[in-house]
Amino acid sequence: MSSLIGKVYPSYFRYYDKKCNGIKIKSRPVMIVGVPLIAQDLEYVVLPVSTLLNKSCYCDEYDIFLEKSSLIDSTLDKDSYVRAHKRTVIYKADIDFTKCIVDLKKNHPPIFAEIIDKMSKYDSLIKESAKI
């Protein structure tokens, strides 16, 4: 299971579309940062991978650039960003484990380390802000 950490897979995200006033589903790559630790858990902790078409959403401190042409053994189709401050949980059934897009931990350790460092930095800020 821990061999999944650092790998990017396609997934299915549910979101509210205000144009149609309903729930829609879109495909989005995610990097796995946490696997189920308890047998009955079916969720994975992931970071979204986004092209960030709206550059006003870009966060220099926590978005890590992935240049598709420089990634070894990658099927990423566009330059993208791993969003280290947008962690979420996703069900196992919503991740397509048959199509690994790229293994950042194995093939790109400096990028993986930067992602984990930035995620940890953000976690520290959250922890600090939660103190009473």
Side-chain angles (χ1 to χ4, degrees):
M1 288 284 240
S2 62
S3 64
L4 297 173
I5 302 290
K7 291 183 178 177
V8 176
Y9 291 100
S11 70
Y12 300 101
F13 266 81
R14 287 161 187 77
Y15 69 99
Y16 179 78
D17 186 336
K18 58 184 172 183
K19 290 179 185 173
C20 73
N21 197 27
I23 301 296
K24 285 196 168 184
I25 297 173
K26 67 179 174 179
S27 179
R28 156 173 268 166
V30 294
M31 185 184 95
I32 296 178
V33 293
V35 297
L37 300 176
I38 302 168
Q40 63 268 31
D41 282 350
L42 298 174
E43 299 92 5
Y44 287 76
V45 180
V46 300
L47 298 175
V49 178
S50 175
T51 56
L52 284 180
L53 296 176
N54 181 352
K55 296 302 178 196
S56 68
C57 294
Y58 172 75
C59 179
D60 187 50
E61 279 188 82
Y62 301 111
D63 288 326
I64 299 90
F65 183 61
L66 299 179
E67 185 177 21
K68 75 172 190 152
S69 63
S70 67
L71 295 175
I72 298 167
D73 295 328
S74 170
T75 58
L76 194 66
D77 58 354
K78 297 178 184 174
D79 290 344
S80 300
Y81 298 85
V82 175
R83 313 218 57 213
H85 61 306
K86 299 291 184 182
R87 181 179 331 167
T88 192
V89 177
I90 190 168
Y91 286 103
K92 177 181 181 178
D94 289 333
I95 302 172
D96 186 350
F97 291 107
T98 67
K99 298 177 183 172
C100 182
I101 294 170
V102 64
D103 186 340
L104 294 172
K105 185 176 181 181
K106 178 182 173 190
N107 295 332
H108 305 278
I111 295 172
F112 178 75
E114 180 183 6
I115 293 165
I116 298 304
D117 286 347
K118 289 187 177 197
M119 185 180 72
S120 295
K121 180 181 174 188
Y122 187 74
D123 288 352
S124 294
L125 290 174
I126 294 292
K127 182 178 176 183
E128 191 61 34
S129 71
K131 286 185 179 177
I132 298 175

